[in-house]
């Protein structure tokens, strides 16, 4: 492969000049960055590369913060639940929290800003019936109801930035100061943040790109009294709360938020919760604030002639890259961590920025780069997984993080990344910003829609959860599939209908969650629009507990479309004779196909003999299809990510839209391989997603089949209308 | 074993006199019965035995019924669901029903008695907006809402008795007349029923026991258009409905029932549904009617100097043997089919009758009694399973059904039943009506309480369902355990509190069902009473989804008592570190213990490190315990019936009540064996429930351990305070 250069960012560090030069050469890097804990010395900054410098807006300035402790960031927390044994109840509300991270806000009137709730009744306890003992951090309830459960929702000040806290504790930084997060909503903090940036830009003339890590509010991350993680929500707005924010919200929206609107039964409005009106209002309020303030900072960066890049993580809350206010920030770039295809698309699809960058795995940290370990394995896994998504919508740049000095000691790794960077540049050039061929347009329907594009089913960014992997696989599969993917909310289809270009709708998730939709399915506008859509030829794919809420004798409200419903125990009296799998079916035409539905589902039954049962196991339909007018409904119990399941999903997409004859246009029969076509570039690529050599029949868009052989991991680029030769 | 006689009923038949005599001798039978399809000839009736004769009240008299078709029994049925494609909707409401079983009631005003429902909105369609086409059995809706789902709830006449229909179709009886069920609520039918009985009693002077099979209303059994079972609910009141009943109900209760109160979304008030106020009223209304009318018939039987026995099944609806009106019927006896321990107790615990009888398996039918098959196996299984329950509360009589002529051809079977009958008489004599030692009193808490004692988790009597076996096992285990078992309803504990003698409460079942309790768990009176009970030393065992309804941040409303809750996806953000199984625990002290939780449960997590996790598998707590005041909560994911699980349940019972030191009073270490003590009789029995020889350490009540050896299936009877010798 020809040696190319550019589009690659490297970490560097002091005392490492020559090696940095060599690595820049090998990997064709054109940008250098510092990391959390490293600084670039002048000699390295002088190299022929763009210089990225990490910048923290709202932490790392304790000299300021300590003088303005009333401007600390705040959180609403819920105490543990305490069952009353008599009418007197004491709640040590700080129990289980980490005193080094948070401390109760006794500055503001507790009676006004806190809430004591009888959780057994779901009722607020009158403020006259409780007192706070500030010495002991205890709320004392009088006139309690014996054997009811009580909680306190209380305000705290956050006195330690969660990311620094995590690094500090993990790396045992000892007496290194705890960085105090301050709130730019407060006057002094905001003035300080601006002034400091102006000054900093002057003092860092060699910085080309200010890498904001990030802006103002960290995702919710709360530790317990053992200094271990207690609560983590990568999407959580917990740390955006403050008395000032609540007051300004009330002024603007004309109603007051209750603590419970934030605390939400202790769920804290997890992204899995169907969002309340209040919480959506609050998010919008915060997004507008963050966009406005961040925009002012970016203006300063631009005035200083530099570029502004945002790290997608840590203090990213309120930026919502797919939200309506994000473009107003005026960023040049976004950089984020790439765990696989879906997280790559989460970055590469972000609208309104000039370029995107992905930080690939592994980090150059001693947990991977130690003698005897082969870091190539993780790199290869990460690259192959993410590369599928690259073929659909490439990032503009790739990069790495950590200590380059460590990585250098692994020559095989250096060789491998050299191949990766060249392969990346080649695919980027070949695709050339063009739109790849998409056989279908797929809409993912959930409560969040576009706002959280590619972010469904995540708790902590890209971590595996037993309750989510069977759904997250849908996103991962689609991230590299030859289809157009859009994200739709119930609100959007309620108001604007299903967009005309949608061929297939997918609704996936556990009952009651924001991804399945919960009470949204009681809305006849949603139901009738989808039924009409399918009736006229659209596809509807339900995964897990789609359209699920128990009402009117149905659990799946779209059971008529899906052809299946789930037994909750109320209709066991009804005989169900339809368990026979269809002997042949389009959804099981792969060779040696083995189904894997992840956690699967129990108690799903076919409504009638009309339902085409493709897989029936564990006493339940796991995969089925159902004709509905000119379209089809398809049920899948779960779809963990695999190449085989990616192919199954593709089959489901085409079958549901009754366009299965169109599947084999740009197509590889062997499911380890995929074909991506770029008509505007007159090119197509046959990709081997596996490490093993593969042979496959492919179809070239005009329907011509041909057999090709690919080395492990190979991408074969060919001109459209030319013969393939190996 | 000494030869004894009595307490056994045999079927007999014509042309079989000598064999009948011989079998009476062998099995010590003192009663003879006919069966459905056989009649006893005079020569057999002349034998020295009590003669039972099957009697049908409300069917088998077509000459009468055909002259009074307006007095046919009725049902409310729900049509299939039809999705509107335009504003005009046609519903062929009879689709899927069996025209030979039911026909629409066009006699009464459809607009008054039927209901068309928009199931998408859950709203009734105004009668002016629909018409019935009686020619085509179609309801035509005008002004329908496109893509809404509609159903029709309509009245039918039942023109074929379901039991006779089943037998007729199964045995291909061809042109044998269909027996038409008539409704004794109607004047002519009631007069006929009485007159006929009086006449019949005269014509059958040799009948000692009138075996009612049964009274007036069959459990709900509806066939489909393929003449196969479509809906079966052994508890269903579907066939009790009629216009006359509904009118009388309105008069009495002051409000009118809607068709939907009966149809219930197509669930037809399955026993798994949390019953509505309306349905409970209706059941009460029917029970009072049935008790009154049946009582009048029983009076006629008694006036004729005969005994009255009721078969527990078929047309038993409204009798509710554990209900408040049952004693008013004045029956002498109840006979029912014994499938195992729980169904035996269902019969033997019935209050207010002089004696109970169980019909054991196998039936003497050709499906079991064919050359080459060994009917002993089924008999042995059935007897061993039911015998456990016999040891706690014996039936007064046992019997068999079918063709004795068939059974006679299997000498090994005849031998085996000879042993069984002798063993039965011996245990009956030894127990002598005394109360066996009970270590604890256990209350099963569900929506039905005492009314459906031993009847929880059943759909069709004693059939296996994937959704129920993990719960039904609790009843089966308890049926033969050395504890006192009572059944409690939420209403009862709400009004009267938890009875003082209860040591442990059990709540078992799937979320939302009548057995788990559904919305009952939103009632703070229920919650606080149970919490207080446990706090003061009671035990609470939750199985499956106990106390489950999503409210206030909890799914298990008694999570604080149980120490576990189930993750619905809303609190994935919360870290849960408690997955470690306790290395040693009272609940796993059995030798070679292997857990089997049946369907088990997913996503159950411990609330804190306080919860004692006994088994954690499939990413979920399957078995755990939690101290709560002076008592304990215990969680079990599921408890299918086995001897090992019976022992596990016993351990849970003692542990939850914090009385585990008392478990080994009358006790066998080997879980295949059980010890039953009868202090009033100064006797105890060591029972080997397995077919294999067993040795076990036993404890004799005074705490003395001793090792005993038992042959397979053996019962060892010993005087209390005497030494055991083999």
């Amino acid at each position: 492969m020809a040696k190319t250069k550019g589009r690659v960012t490297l970490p560097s560090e002091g005392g490492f000049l020559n090696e940095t030069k060599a690595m820049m050469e090998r990997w064709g890097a054109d940008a250098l960055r510092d990391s959390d804990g490293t600084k670039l010395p002048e000699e390295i900054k002088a190299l022929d590369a763009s210089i990225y410098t990490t910048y923290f807006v709202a932490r790392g300035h304790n000299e300021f913060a300590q003088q303005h402790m009333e401007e600390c960031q705040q959180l609403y927390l819920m105490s543990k639940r305490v069952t009353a044994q008599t009418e007197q109840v004491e709640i040590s509300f700080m129990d289980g929290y980490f005193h080094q991270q948070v401390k109760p806000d006794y500055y503001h009137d507790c009676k006004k800003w806190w809430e004591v709730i009888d959780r057994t009744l779901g009722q607020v306890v009158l403020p006259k019936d409780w007192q706070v003992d500030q010495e002991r951090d205890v709320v004392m309830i009088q006139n309690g109801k014996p054997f009811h459960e009580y909680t306190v929702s209380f305000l705290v000040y956050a006195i330690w930035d969660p990311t620094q806290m995590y690094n500090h504790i993990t790396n045992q930084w000892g007496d290194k100061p705890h960085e105090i997060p301050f709130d730019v909503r407060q006057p002094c903090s905001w003035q300080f943040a601006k002034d400091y940036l102006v000054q900093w830009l002057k003092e860092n003339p060699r910085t080309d790109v200010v890498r904001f890590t990030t802006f103002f509010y960290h995702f919710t991350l709360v530790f317990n009294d053992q200094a271990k993680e207690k609560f983590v929500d990568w999407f959580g707005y917990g740390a955006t709360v403050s008395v000032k924010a609540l007051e300004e919200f009330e002024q603007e929206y004309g109603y007051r938020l209750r603590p419970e609107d934030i605390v939400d039964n202790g769920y804290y409005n997890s992204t899995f919760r169907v969002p309340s009106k209040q919480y959506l209002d609050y998010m919008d309020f915060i997004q507008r604030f963050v966009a406005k303030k961040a925009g002012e900072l970016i203006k300063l960066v631009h005035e200083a002639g530099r570029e502004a890049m945002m790290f997608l993580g840590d203090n990213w809350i309120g930026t919502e890259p797919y939200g309506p206010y994000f473009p107003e920030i005026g960023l040049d770039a976004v950089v984020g961590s790439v765990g696989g295809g879906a997280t790559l698309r989460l970055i590469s699809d972000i609208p309104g920025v000039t370029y995107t960058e992905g930080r690939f795995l592994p980090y150059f940290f001693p947990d991977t780069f130690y003698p005897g370990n082969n870091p190539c394995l993780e790199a290869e896994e990460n690259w192959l997984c993410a590369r599928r998504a690259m073929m659909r919508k490439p990032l503009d740049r790739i990069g790495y993080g950590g200590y380059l000095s460590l990585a250098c000691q692994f020559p095989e790794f250096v060789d491998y990344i050299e191949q990766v960077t060249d392969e990346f540049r080649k695919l980027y050039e070949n695709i050339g910003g063009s739109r790849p061929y998409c056989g279908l347009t797929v809409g993912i329907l959930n409560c969040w829609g576009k706002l959280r594009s590619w972010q469904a089913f995540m708790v902590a960014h890209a971590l595996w959860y037993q309750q989510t992997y069977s759904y997250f696989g849908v996103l991962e599969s689609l991230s590299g599939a030859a289809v157009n993917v859009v994200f739709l909310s119930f609100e959007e289809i309620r108001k604007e209908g299903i967009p005309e270009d949608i061929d297939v709708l997918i609704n996936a998730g556990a009952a009651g969650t924001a991804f399945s939709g919960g009470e949204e399915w009681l809305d006849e506008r949603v139901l009738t629009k989808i039924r009409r859509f399918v009736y006229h030829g659209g596809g509807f794919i339900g995964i897990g507990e789609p359209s699920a809420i128990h009402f009117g004798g149905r659990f799946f409200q779209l059971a008529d479309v899906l052809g299946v419903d789930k037994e909750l125990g109320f209709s066991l009296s009804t005989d169900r004779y339809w368990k026979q799998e269809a002997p042949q079916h389009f959804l099981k035409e792969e060779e040696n196909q083995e189904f894997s539905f992840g956690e699967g589902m129990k108690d799903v039954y076919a409504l009638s003999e009309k339902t085409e049962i493709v897989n029936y196991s564990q006493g339940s339909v796991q995969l089925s299809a159902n004709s509905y007018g000119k379209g089809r409904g398809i049920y899948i119990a779960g779809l963990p990510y695999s190449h085989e399941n990616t192919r199954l999903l593709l089959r489901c997409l085409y079958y549901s839209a009754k366009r299965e004859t169109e599947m084999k246009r740009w197509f590889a029969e062997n499911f380890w391989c995929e074909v991506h076509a770029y008509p505007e570039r007159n090119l197509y690529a046959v990709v081997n997603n596996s490490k093993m050599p593969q042979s496959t029949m492919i179809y070239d868009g005009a329907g011509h089949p041909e057999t090709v052989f690919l080395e492990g991991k190979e991408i074969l680029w060919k001109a459209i209308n030319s013969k393939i030769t190996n």
Side-chain angles (χ1 to χ4, degrees), chain A:
Chain A
M1 207 176 272
K3 192 74 210 143
T4 53
K5 184 168 159 59
R7 307 206 167 277
V8 173
T9 303
L10 289 190
S12 188
E13 58 198 288
F16 198 63
L17 179 63
N18 289 333
E19 294 88 338
T20 299
K21 282 186 197 165
M23 296 297 290
M24 281 176 68
E25 180 63 28
R26 292 285 299 276
W27 295 357
D30 58 352
L32 294 172
R33 55 166 290 207
D34 54 8
S35 292
D36 209 355
T38 63
K39 276 192 155 245
L40 299 187
E42 290 308 317
E43 54 177 18
I44 282 181
K45 287 190 191 170
L47 291 173
D48 177 23
S50 189
I51 301 298
Y52 293 8
T53 311
T54 299
Y55 188 87
F56 302 105
V57 175
R59 63 152 158 138
H61 302 289
N62 280 9
E63 71 292 353
F64 165 79
Q66 275 159 349
Q67 286 165 27
H68 298 275
M69 290 302 282
E70 77 288 357
E71 295 198 356
C72 264
Q73 295 195 7
Q74 298 204 273
L75 289 161
Y76 263 123
L77 298 178
M78 189 179 91
S79 74
K80 66 182 181 187
R81 305 162 76 102
V82 171
T83 306
Q85 282 146 23
T86 66
E87 291 189 0
Q88 313 298 317
V89 191
E90 285 207 353
I91 302 181
S92 295
F93 51 84
M94 282 288 291
D95 272 15
Y97 289 103
F98 186 39
H99 287 257
Q100 294 183 49
Q101 184 190 10
V102 293
K103 65 173 189 183
D105 170 8
Y106 293 132
Y107 180 79
H108 298 97
D109 180 5
C110 301
K111 296 279 181 149
K112 178 169 182 187
W113 296 104
W114 297 18
E115 216 168 47
V116 177
I117 294 185
D118 178 337
R119 292 281 172 197
T120 301
L121 293 177
Q123 289 174 0
V124 173
V125 178
L126 293 178
K128 74 172 178 59
D129 284 335
W130 53 270
Q131 304 299 326
V132 182
D133 179 342
Q134 300 191 6
E135 293 301 309
R136 297 189 298 138
D137 294 340
V138 162
V139 160
M140 294 165 299
I141 304 170
Q142 292 92 43
N143 305 320
K145 296 192 173 66
F147 296 102
H148 283 218
E149 277 193 305
Y150 292 88
T151 62
V152 179
S153 305
F154 58 107
L155 270 176
V156 295
Y157 285 112
I159 53 175
W160 197 354
D161 173 81
T163 290
Q164 203 238 0
M165 175 175 71
Y166 174 81
N167 289 331
H168 197 293
I169 292 168
T170 307
N171 301 315
Q172 298 172 311
W173 286 348
D175 57 1
K176 191 170 174 180
H178 298 182
E179 295 187 359
I180 302 166
F182 46 94
D183 186 353
V184 298
R185 187 180 289 277
Q186 303 289 349
C188 301
S189 295
W190 176 234
Q191 193 59 49
F192 177 83
K194 280 192 301 190
D195 294 348
Y196 189 86
L197 177 59
V198 169
Q199 185 61 28
W200 185 91
L201 287 164
K202 284 185 193 146
E203 290 168 3
N204 289 271
R206 187 55 190 95
T207 296
D208 300 296
V209 178
V210 183
R211 189 179 186 280
F212 284 95
T213 308
T214 315
F215 294 115
F216 314 128
Y217 302 114
H218 203 282
F219 61 82
T220 318
L221 178 59
V222 177
F223 272 34
N224 69 15
D225 49 4
Q226 309 296 309
K228 286 164 75 183
E229 188 183 282
K230 179 185 179 70
F231 183 90
V232 59
D233 181 2
W234 200 68
F235 302 93
Y237 276 56
T240 66
V241 169
S242 65
V243 166
K244 190 152 188 283
L246 295 171
E247 285 173 341
E248 289 174 8
F249 179 92
E250 184 178 359
Q251 220 162 10
E252 203 173 317
Y253 286 78
Y255 72 94
R256 195 175 161 188
L257 289 174
R258 283 179 51 198
E260 184 63 8
D261 291 324
I262 306 297
V263 160
D264 178 26
N265 296 288
Y267 302 137
Y268 299 101
N269 296 290
S270 145
T271 186
F272 287 78
R273 291 279 282 168
V274 172
S276 65
K277 164 86 170 49
Q278 290 87 329
Y279 189 60
L280 288 173
D281 281 352
Y282 181 72
M283 283 178 65
D284 196 69
F285 169 76
I286 294 295
Q287 284 175 63
R288 284 187 292 108
F289 174 82
V290 166
K292 181 165 175 293
K293 293 295 188 191
E296 291 186 41
L297 298 185
I298 301 317
K299 200 151 161 266
L300 296 175
V301 172
H302 288 164
E303 282 168 5
R306 324 296 173 79
E307 286 185 354
M309 172 181 269
M310 164 181 137
F311 171 63
L312 187 70
D314 295 358
N315 297 55
W316 76 297
I317 293 301
T319 62
E320 299 289 356
Y322 293 88
Y325 310 113
F326 181 74
E328 293 173 20
I329 302 178
L331 285 161
D332 300 286
V334 175
V335 58
S337 169
V338 175
T343 51
L344 187 140
R345 290 292 293 272
L346 163 55
I347 305 164
S348 70
D349 277 10
I350 291 175
V353 289
T354 310
Y355 63 98
T356 58
E357 179 171 318
R359 192 180 59 191
F360 280 69
L361 297 176
Y363 290 95
F364 304 163
F365 273 175
D367 56 352
T368 305
F369 290 82
Y370 60 85
N373 193 39
N374 180 3
C376 287
L377 296 175
E378 191 181 347
E380 205 170 36
E381 205 68 57
N382 185 234
W383 176 245
L384 281 184
C385 194
R387 193 180 69 174
R388 289 185 62 237
M390 279 281 197
M391 301 304 291
R392 307 306 306 167
K393 174 71 179 168
L395 296 163
D396 299 291
R397 304 183 55 82
I398 65 175
Y400 294 88
Y403 303 99
L404 193 59
S405 53
L406 266 180
C408 280
Q409 296 163 32
F410 291 78
E412 269 186 59
F413 179 75
V414 173
D415 289 349
Y416 178 64
I417 299 302
E418 186 172 6
Q419 292 169 36
V420 164
T421 51
D422 284 335
E423 186 171 82
F424 164 63
R425 281 182 289 260
K426 181 169 182 186
L427 74 83
Y428 190 85
E429 286 310 310
N430 282 352
I431 296 173
S434 76
R435 187 182 142 90
Y437 167 80
C438 291
L440 293 166
T441 292
V442 180
I444 310 278
L445 176 64
N446 60 43
C447 288
W448 295 111
K450 188 180 167 212
L451 185 73
R452 290 188 169 161
S453 298
W454 299 107
Q455 295 159 67
F457 315 113
M458 290 187 198
V459 183
H461 187 68
L463 282 194
W464 186 93
Y465 284 78
Q466 185 179 12
Q467 289 86 356
T468 61
Y469 76 98
S470 305
Y471 303 125
F472 184 74
V474 179
L475 294 191
E476 190 62 29
S477 291
L478 289 176
S479 70
V483 295
N484 188 27
V485 182
V486 298
F487 293 84
L488 299 168
S489 70
F490 291 99
E491 183 67 5
E492 189 177 339
I493 69 165
R494 179 161 41 232
K495 285 197 171 150
E496 297 160 31
I498 297 163
E500 286 221 343
D501 61 344
I502 298 286
D503 297 300
V504 183
L505 279 176
I506 295 180
N507 178 242
T513 63
F515 303 112
S516 171
E519 44 264 49
E520 290 285 2
W521 293 107
L522 297 179
D523 188 333
E524 65 94 30
R525 291 169 293 180
V526 170
L527 292 167
T528 55
K529 279 179 175 139
I530 296 174
R531 285 185 181 136
R532 191 187 301 272
F533 164 78
V534 181
Y535 188 76
H536 289 116
F540 181 80
I541 300 178
I543 301 170
E545 296 179 314
S547 75
I549 187 164
H550 185 230
F551 177 77
R554 286 280 194 245
F555 187 51
F556 295 167
Q557 291 301 310
L558 286 178
D560 60 335
V561 173
L562 292 165
V564 299
D565 200 354
K566 186 173 175 183
E567 173 61 59
L568 299 182
F570 307 133
S571 54
L572 294 172
S573 292
T574 302
D575 290 274
R576 306 214 171 94
Y577 296 102
W578 314 291
K579 298 170 182 182
Q580 195 65 44
E581 293 179 0
Q584 290 174 334
H585 201 279
F586 180 74
L587 298 184
K588 54 178 180 183
E589 285 179 1
E590 296 294 320
E591 271 183 69
N592 308 316
Q593 195 167 14
E594 283 188 23
F595 289 116
S596 163
F597 303 108
E599 293 296 299
M601 195 53 64
K602 277 183 184 170
D603 305 326
V604 175
Y605 63 88
L607 298 186
S608 76
E609 72 289 346
K610 232 182 99 261
T611 304
E612 305 155 22
I613 299 177
V614 183
N615 184 273
Y616 189 94
S617 44
Q618 299 184 296
S620 183
V621 173
Q622 305 289 340
L623 177 63
S624 64
N626 185 53
S627 261
Y628 188 89
K630 292 182 185 161
R632 285 194 180 103
I634 288 184
Y635 177 76
I636 315 176
L639 199 94
Y641 177 63
S642 70
H643 294 292
E644 197 158 6
N645 273 347
T646 297
R647 180 56 51 92
L648 174 60
L649 181 58
L650 199 72
R651 286 187 170 274
C652 289
L653 292 171
Y654 278 96
Y655 193 71
S656 69
K658 287 201 179 166
R659 284 167 58 181
E660 56 270 31
T661 55
E662 298 174 29
M663 187 177 74
K664 296 187 179 179
R665 283 205 179 149
W666 294 104
F667 186 79
E669 291 281 5
N670 178 336
F671 64 68
W672 290 101
C673 303
E674 284 173 307
V675 177
H676 303 281
Y678 308 91
E680 296 162 29
R681 306 284 295 173
N682 199 38
L683 278 174
Y684 68 99
V686 187
V687 183
N688 179 358
N689 289 313
S690 79
K691 297 183 190 180
M692 306 295 291
Q694 300 287 346
S695 93
T696 180
M697 178 85 87
I698 64 158
Y699 299 86
D700 71 353
H704 302 133
E706 188 170 1
T707 299
V708 300
F709 300 91
L710 296 132
E711 298 300 322
K713 307 181 275 180
E714 186 179 0
I715 303 180
L716 199 63
W717 288 95
K718 296 302 291 181
I720 292 179
N721 298 326
S722 79
K723 276 274 178 213
I724 286 194
T725 49
N726 266 90

